[in-house]
């Protein structure tokens, strides 16, 4: 009896009583990749559910990596609970955070191998191909730059038309819309700014990708272009191969994305070309309300209300970081992508300071640190 009792005690410790079963399914490979990096590889995940259990309750997860794949059973424990009231106050979903108890390193390596294999399969099936030759419009008052821009595309059989200024380019677009416009900025009669504004204002032309090839390098000029809807900048002089690669990338994106027109309604760009302080200053001037998403080494979000930062989020931020510290860290970033999208940001103001004062304080601290 003692032996039997001892055996039962060992079995009880090895197999804790499971109080509930949950199935977790990732419908797409993209969702699985995000979940693996953010949650699974760190030993847990969040269950969006209204079926609440007490903290430390043991649950069994059935992890289905993709639809139709075999599920992986994982014994876990409830680490925290976010009830309906807390969820409503925070704007986050109700549910439970769970911590894995028996997901081994070998199992994680198998999940990584599964993702890598599926990613390779998707790359093979989604390899970009040019369905037809491109129709390009090169706009420049300098004949030499016209020929330089046109040469790599004509050499491979693309259809290229030339215009000496924005006025002539607009006429050619109205006669036959091109797949993409390459335009200089400083030109007689109608310059590149005016041409871009007119193109974006006409429904029949507004979805045409637009690239500035220019000697302009100031942040104000680049920000103005992004605000008007330019898709890319390429500084003169440029390697023909780089010009061709950027044009092909844009053309492929437009061909594959039915959302290309809607995406241009947001302000987006590259921090290497327009610094975050300049972007925020513009949004304050326009009194914009919404989310400014920044993707660099990590992801950050600045929620603005009438141009003022109201809330800051930064992935993997040190515990206890203040909103001001998070904002200043984002302002230090010199590389990455940004995109602003209008949206309701709710009530509350974690910073409660004018943007101008925050930018001046950040500049002062950077200046002191560089001495």
């Amino acid at each position: 009896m003692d032996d039997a009792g001892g055996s039962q005690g060992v079995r009880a410790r090895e197999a804790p009583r499971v109080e509930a079963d949950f199935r977790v399914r990732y419908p797409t490979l993209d969702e699985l990749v995000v979940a693996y990096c953010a949650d699974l590889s760190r030993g847990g995940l969040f269950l969006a559910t209204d079926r609440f259990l007490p903290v430390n309750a043991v649950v069994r997860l059935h992890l289905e990596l993709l639809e139709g794949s075999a599920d992986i059973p994982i014994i876990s424990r409830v680490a925290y609970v976010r009830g309906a009231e807390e969820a409503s106050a925070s704007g986050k979903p109700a549910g439970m955070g769970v911590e894995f108890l028996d997901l081994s390193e070998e199992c994680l390596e198998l999940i990584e191998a599964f993702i890598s294999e599926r990613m390779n399969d998707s790359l093979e099936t989604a390899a970009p191909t040019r369905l037809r030759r491109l129709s390009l419009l090169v706009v420049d008052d300098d004949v030499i730059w016209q020929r330089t821009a046109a040469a790599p595309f004509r050499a491979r059989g693309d259809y290229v038309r030339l215009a000496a200024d924005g006025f002539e380019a607009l006429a050619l677009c109205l006669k036959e819309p091109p797949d993409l416009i390459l335009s200089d900025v400083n030109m007689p009669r109608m310059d590149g700014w005016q041409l871009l504004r007119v193109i974006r204002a006409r429904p029949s032309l507004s979805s045409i990708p637009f690239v500035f090839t220019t000697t302009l390098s100031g942040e104000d000029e680049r920000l103005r272009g992004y605000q008007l809807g330019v898709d890319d900048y390429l500084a003169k002089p440029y390697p023909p191969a780089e010009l061709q690669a950027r044009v092909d990338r844009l053309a492929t994106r437009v061909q594959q994305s039915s959302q290309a027109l809607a995406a241009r309604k947001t302000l987006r760009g590259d921090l290497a070309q327009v610094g975050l302080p300049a972007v925020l200053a513009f949004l304050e001037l326009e009194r914009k309300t919404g989310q400014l998403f920044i993707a660099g080494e990590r992801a950050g979000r600045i929620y603005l209300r009438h141009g003022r930062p109201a809330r800051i989020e930064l992935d993997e931020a040190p515990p206890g970081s203040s909103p001001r510290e998070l904002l200043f860290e984002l302002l230090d970033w010199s590389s990455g992508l940004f995109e602003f999208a209008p949206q309701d940001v709710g009530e509350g103001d974690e910073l409660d300071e004018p943007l101008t004062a925050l930018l001046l304080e950040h500049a002062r601290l950077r200046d002191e640190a560089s001495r």
Side-chain angles (χ1 to χ4, degrees), residues 42 298-299 312-322 325-326 329:
R42 301 185 181 189
R298 293 171 285 159
I312 314 295
E313 294 178 359
L314 180 59
D315 291 356
E316 301 179 26
S321 299
S322 69
E325 289 171 334
L326 297 181
E329 182 172 347

Side-chain angles (χ1 to χ4, degrees), residues 48-284:
T49 179
D50 56 3
R51 184 183 174 189
F52 303 123
L53 294 171
V55 172
N56 290 325
V58 176
V59 300
R60 182 186 291 110
L61 304 180
H62 298 274
L63 197 65
E64 187 175 324
L65 299 183
L66 288 177
E67 186 175 356
S69 65
D71 65 61
I72 302 172
I74 307 173
I75 300 299
S76 311
R77 74 170 187 89
V78 177
Y80 68 91
V81 176
R82 184 189 298 139
E85 186 175 338
E86 182 184 349
S88 177
S90 65
K92 299 178 180 179
M96 303 182 298
V98 299
E99 177 186 6
F100 302 150
L101 297 180
D102 67 350
L103 187 63
S104 65
E105 289 295 327
E106 291 79 5
C107 190
L108 285 174
E109 291 174 2
L110 288 174
I111 295 175
E112 288 186 10
F114 178 90
I115 292 173
S116 297
E117 182 180 344
R118 295 305 185 279
M119 289 295 292
N120 289 334
D121 290 344
S122 66
L123 287 173
E124 292 175 5
T125 58
T129 56
R130 289 201 302 138
L131 302 179
R132 56 181 173 79
R133 70 174 184 164
L134 293 177
S135 171
L136 303 176
L137 177 60
V138 176
V139 191
D140 203 307
D141 59 329
D142 188 316
V143 176
I144 294 177
W145 279 114
Q146 280 186 359
R147 293 172 180 170
T148 299
F153 301 101
R154 284 178 167 167
R156 72 179 189 185
D158 290 327
Y159 174 48
V160 183
R161 290 177 293 167
L162 306 177
D165 56 50
F167 192 82
E168 183 181 347
L170 177 60
L172 292 174
C173 287
L174 293 172
K175 182 178 179 181
E176 182 183 347
D179 293 322
L180 188 141
I181 298 171
L182 294 169
S183 177
D184 188 24
V185 174
N186 297 318
M187 296 178 292
R189 293 206 296 178
M190 180 187 290
D191 63 19
W193 303 120
Q194 294 172 299
L195 175 62
L196 176 59
R197 188 181 294 111
V198 172
I199 292 294
R200 290 291 178 253
R202 299 188 70 89
S204 61
L205 304 176
S206 62
S207 63
I208 299 174
F210 199 110
V211 178
F212 273 140
T213 57
T214 177
T215 56
L216 294 178
S217 59
E219 283 191 345
D220 292 343
E221 289 83 3
R222 291 182 180 276
L223 183 59
R224 180 184 179 189
Y226 285 127
Q227 194 272 333
L228 291 174
V230 74
D231 290 274
D232 203 356
Y233 277 92
L234 192 59
K236 296 178 178 177
Y238 47 76
E242 182 179 356
L243 174 65
Q244 194 174 77
R246 293 201 187 191
V247 166
D248 287 347
R249 182 191 65 190
L250 280 172
T252 300
R253 187 185 73 192
V254 171
Q255 289 174 2
Q256 294 180 343
S257 174
S258 61
Q259 311 248 338
L261 177 58
R264 285 195 186 90
K265 295 179 181 177
T266 66
L267 176 70
R268 64 170 183 253
D270 191 329
L271 291 178
Q273 298 177 339
V274 182
L276 189 56
V279 175
L280 288 171
F282 169 78
L283 293 171
E284 181 187 43

